[in-house]
Amino acid sequence: MRLFFAIELEPNIKSKLLTIQDRVLDVNGTAVPGENFHITLSFLGKVAERELESILDGLSVSLHAGEAFSDVQVSPFSVTLNQLTYWPKPKIIAALIDDQSQGLGRLKKSIESVLTSIGHFQFDRKSYKPHVTLFRHVDEPPKHLADLELTVAVKRFSLLESVQGRHGVNYHMIESWPLKQSSIKQQLLGL
């Protein structure tokens, strides 16, 4: 199985992104289907079933033990999709994310910390650039890429499987976890 952790987007955000996708008229590329819009946190690659069990057990133990993912408190937060950009190397057009709270980076680090402690994974240390891919296989940038401002409430994260089918790639949720709400004491003391 090809697995990755991601933030799944609400239907209203997906709908707005589809409208934006329709407005980018001069793109010679493949539009990503709305049901596949997401924010990737960590890509795991090919994972055997026994490893999947370890992942699910490790995250469940960490969550149920009251731990906040290896001493990192990750409470619900919001990010903003704020502009479209073209990246020539992967040949994509994506909606960039403004994450003032650094929540996505902290969540990514927390998940990877739990999985590293399980002992199965080595993670890429490249700079994390959260985005939502709207078009793939784009050889040249369009003449105009619009700015946008969509707020995304991040309340949970999911483990998704990437499945190649006759009509392209689809993503299937394996498990989803809510982010832990801070207690009033933690909020007041900034813990």
Side-chain angles (χ1 to χ4, degrees):
M1 295 181 288
R2 289 174 49 87
L3 303 180
F4 62 99
F5 285 96
I7 304 301
E8 294 186 274
L9 303 178
E10 296 293 326
N12 66 323
I13 298 295
K14 289 181 178 184
S15 177
K16 289 175 183 175
L17 287 173
L18 284 169
T19 300
I20 291 166
Q21 206 177 43
D22 287 342
R23 284 193 221 148
V24 183
L25 300 175
D26 58 341
V27 172
N28 186 10
T30 305
V32 173
E35 63 267 14
N36 284 354
F37 292 154
H38 67 277
I39 302 168
T40 300
L41 292 167
S42 291
F43 186 71
L44 302 180
K46 291 186 178 183
V47 175
E49 268 192 57
R50 70 181 181 285
E51 289 177 308
L52 174 58
E53 277 187 48
S54 296
I55 292 167
L56 296 175
D57 289 346
L59 284 171
S60 293
V61 166
S62 182
L63 283 169
H64 288 73
E67 297 172 18
F69 293 115
S70 306
D71 302 323
V72 177
Q73 179 65 42
V74 183
S75 298
F77 59 95
S78 294
V79 297
T80 304
L81 303 178
N82 67 349
Q83 74 180 69
L84 297 182
T85 191
Y86 171 69
W87 286 334
K89 189 168 183 180
K91 295 184 175 188
I92 66 169
I93 293 176
L96 295 181
I97 296 172
D98 182 15
D99 182 13
Q100 296 290 323
S101 69
Q102 304 281 313
L104 291 171
R106 286 185 299 125
L107 181 56
K108 173 182 173 54
K109 180 180 173 186
S110 299
I111 292 167
E112 291 176 356
S113 177
V114 170
L115 295 182
T116 300
S117 71
I118 294 169
H120 289 287
F121 298 98
Q122 297 282 328
F123 293 96
D124 193 356
R125 294 294 163 214
K126 289 182 188 173
S127 176
Y128 178 54
K129 296 178 183 170
H131 64 278
V132 177
T133 303
L134 300 180
F135 294 93
R136 296 187 184 284
H137 314 295
V138 179
D139 291 322
E140 293 183 23
K143 291 180 180 86
H144 177 69
L145 288 173
D147 289 338
L148 62 146
E149 190 165 328
L150 295 175
T151 300
V152 176
V154 179
K155 298 177 184 175
R156 56 189 322 104
F157 67 97
S158 301
L159 179 61
L160 303 178
E161 179 183 11
S162 175
V163 179
Q164 181 68 46
R166 285 189 308 161
H167 301 291
V169 176
N170 290 304
Y171 304 126
H172 302 285
M173 184 185 46
I174 293 176
E175 187 68 63
S176 184
W177 296 270
L179 296 183
K180 183 179 178 184
Q181 187 67 17
S182 297
S183 70
I184 296 296
K185 178 182 174 183
Q186 289 170 321
Q187 292 174 26
L188 291 173
L189 298 176
L191 301 175

